[in-house]
Each structure stands twice: as C-alpha cells, then as structure tokens.
Amino acid sequence: MKTVIFIPARYASTRYPGKPLVELRQKDGSMRSLIRMSWDAACAIEGVDAVYVATDDARIADHARGFGAEVVMTSEACENGTARCADALAQLEQQPDLVVNFQGDAPLTPPWFVEKLIAAMKADPSVQMATPVLRCDRQTYENFIEDRQNGRVGGTTAVFDRRMNALYFSKEVLPYIAPGKLPEPIPVFHHVGVYGYRPAALKSYMDAPVSELETLEGLEQLRFLASGIPVRCVEVDARGRVFWELNNPGDVARIEAALEAL
C-alpha cells in the first residue's frame, strides 16, 4: 500500500505571516526554519514512500528545494491544507493508496504518531479519514486555558464516541471542566494536526460545500463531519515528549523550550 506525505505550507498566514520560514533555535544552538524542521520530522516516519512540500509560494519553494525537499506547486486558491493536499495529489503521476497531511507548523510531531495513524487506516479499510488525538497532560491543559483566557487561539481539542469516531473538533477547550474540578486522567484530548485520507475522501471533501461550522471554527476537518464522512480518532502516546504546534509568535518560545528538553 503506497503512502505519501504532503506538508502544506503557505506564506500568507493570518495569525503569523511567513510562518514556514521562521527560524527556531535548536538544542545545539543552531537555527532551522519551521518548514525544514517539519520536513525532517516527516522524513523520520517509517513506511512512507515519498514526502513533498506543497506550497503556492516561490519563497517557500526555493527554501525547501535548497535543503533537498521535493516540492509540488499548488494553486493560490487552496483555502486550507486539505485542499492543498487534494491539489498536490492531482499532480502526481502515480496515485497513492493513502495520503498523509503533515502540518508544517508541528515539528514536534513524533514519528510514531503518524506511524500509528497509517497502521490504523491499513488495518481498517472502511476508515476514509483519520487523525491522531493525544490526552492532555497538566501542562498542555494549562497552556490551552492560558491561551483562551488571553484571547489567543491555541491548539484544537477533539471529542469522540466509543468507537473513536469524532463528534466534534474545536478551538475551545472541550469538554468544559469547572475550575477546581480537574479530574485525573484529564479528559481533554489535544487534536494532533495530522490527517490521513484515502484519495476518494479527498475528492468527496472537494466536492462538498463549505460548512458553517468549518467557517466559524476555522477547522477544515469539520467539513468531513458536516458531509457525513466519519473521522476516526487514533489515540497516540506522547512517551514523555512535549507536543505543541506553532500557532502564534508566542509559541516559538514554547517549542524552543521543548527542543532544549529533548
């Protein structure tokens, strides 16, 4: 079963323009761009046949080619990463069986997160789309609450049913937990911004109308739910690693601290 990874990357981020090219300090003191870190993380994943940076921006493309990445140039009309993956997929000469959307702003994503996602989709051919979820530890939960209290959009949370099919995704912290009543283990799951699709699911996504919830939350995966396409949540284990995406300029310090602790 052939599997390819696309790393969607755009320059014109609303919250953080030029984000793929921002440089972060590594543990050894060197600097490395966010897109380079994401490329390195994607290349460490086993069982993948090819990795591509998918972008519409010449600056990102030139930079990516400079460190050896394969690049697929996509349309400026792609409204999100899923649409960019669909555009890139249409340009491949050989169609894969599975497509992985590896977010270009999540360089702390461990390879086993994606490996488990791929394994889950291979094990159940009925799953058309899947995404990892990670139970929050106390520090991550506090980061979520701090961001919301300060009016920042941080990570995304996921709630799902007993079969692990998603009920909803939100940039709010779900479920709501009253102050002082935080149980253990914490019943909040951080949505890891990686998606696995079968090509037919990507086509269905592009054929479906934009949903109101997708627009309000700014979360592309909600179009699948609104269209009646189940999204399987695959629980992953951080194994002591800190996971956080680079959503806002303030996240640079969080990620650099996590790199220092590796």
Side-chain angles (χ1 to χ4, degrees):
M1 183 174 286
K2 185 176 181 181
T3 302
V4 301
I5 291 178
F6 292 121
I7 307 174
R10 67 189 183 106
Y11 193 90
S13 170
T14 303
R15 283 181 280 163
Y16 199 162
K19 183 169 66 171
L21 300 181
V22 67
E23 294 201 332
L24 291 92
R25 186 173 304 280
Q26 308 300 297
K27 189 172 184 177
D28 63 2
S30 64
M31 303 297 289
R32 187 170 296 182
S33 69
L34 181 62
I35 190 66
R36 171 66 186 273
M37 292 175 64
S38 299
W39 168 264
D40 290 343
C43 289
I45 297 165
E46 295 186 357
V48 174
D49 297 282
V51 179
Y52 304 92
V53 171
T55 186
D56 61 357
D57 190 273
R59 290 163 291 189
I60 296 172
D62 290 345
H63 176 71
R65 292 189 183 105
F67 58 73
E70 291 189 75
V71 176
V72 179
M73 297 302 296
T74 54
S75 170
E76 294 181 359
C78 294
E79 69 270 31
N80 55 47
T82 297
R84 202 170 299 285
C85 286
D87 188 327
L89 177 64
Q91 298 184 51
L92 297 187
E93 293 183 4
Q94 294 185 335
Q95 293 292 287
D97 302 289
L98 289 178
V99 174
V100 174
N101 174 347
F102 189 94
Q103 302 285 8
D105 58 5
L108 297 178
T109 306
W112 60 85
F113 281 18
V114 186
E115 290 162 3
K116 188 170 183 180
L117 174 72
I118 293 170
M121 294 192 72
K122 287 183 176 180
D124 188 347
S126 71
V127 177
Q128 293 299 300
M129 181 200 174
T131 192
V133 294
L134 175 67
R135 187 184 289 274
C136 286
D137 58 19
R138 184 170 291 273
Q139 182 60 60
T140 302
Y141 178 75
E142 289 175 356
N143 286 344
F144 271 118
I145 298 300
E146 179 187 354
D147 281 341
R148 298 310 296 132
Q149 288 176 341
N150 288 282
R152 295 190 297 266
V153 176
T156 298
T157 59
V159 289
F160 41 85
D161 64 19
R162 291 185 179 89
R163 296 185 58 203
M164 298 297 292
N165 288 329
L167 296 171
Y168 197 62
F169 298 91
S170 181
K171 289 178 180 175
E172 293 291 350
V173 184
L174 299 179
Y176 168 77
I177 301 172
K181 296 185 178 181
L182 186 64
E184 288 288 349
I186 297 171
V188 176
F189 283 82
H190 189 171
H191 172 233
V192 178
V194 176
Y195 304 103
Y197 324 93
R198 300 196 194 277
L202 272 178
K203 183 179 185 306
S204 295
Y205 179 89
M206 297 306 295
D207 291 341
V210 175
S211 73
E212 182 179 19
L213 290 174
E214 171 190 6
T215 301
L216 291 171
E217 290 268 12
L219 296 174
E220 62 215 73
Q221 66 269 34
L222 292 175
R223 191 186 308 181
F224 288 94
L225 296 184
S227 302
I229 299 173
V231 177
R232 178 66 52 85
C233 294
V234 179
E235 186 174 356
V236 293
D237 183 356
R239 303 181 191 175
R241 289 266 294 268
V242 172
F243 172 77
W244 195 255
E245 304 101 333
L246 203 161
N247 298 297
N248 305 287
D251 292 323
V252 170
R254 288 177 178 173
I255 292 179
E256 288 180 339
L259 292 171
E260 183 66 29
L262 288 177

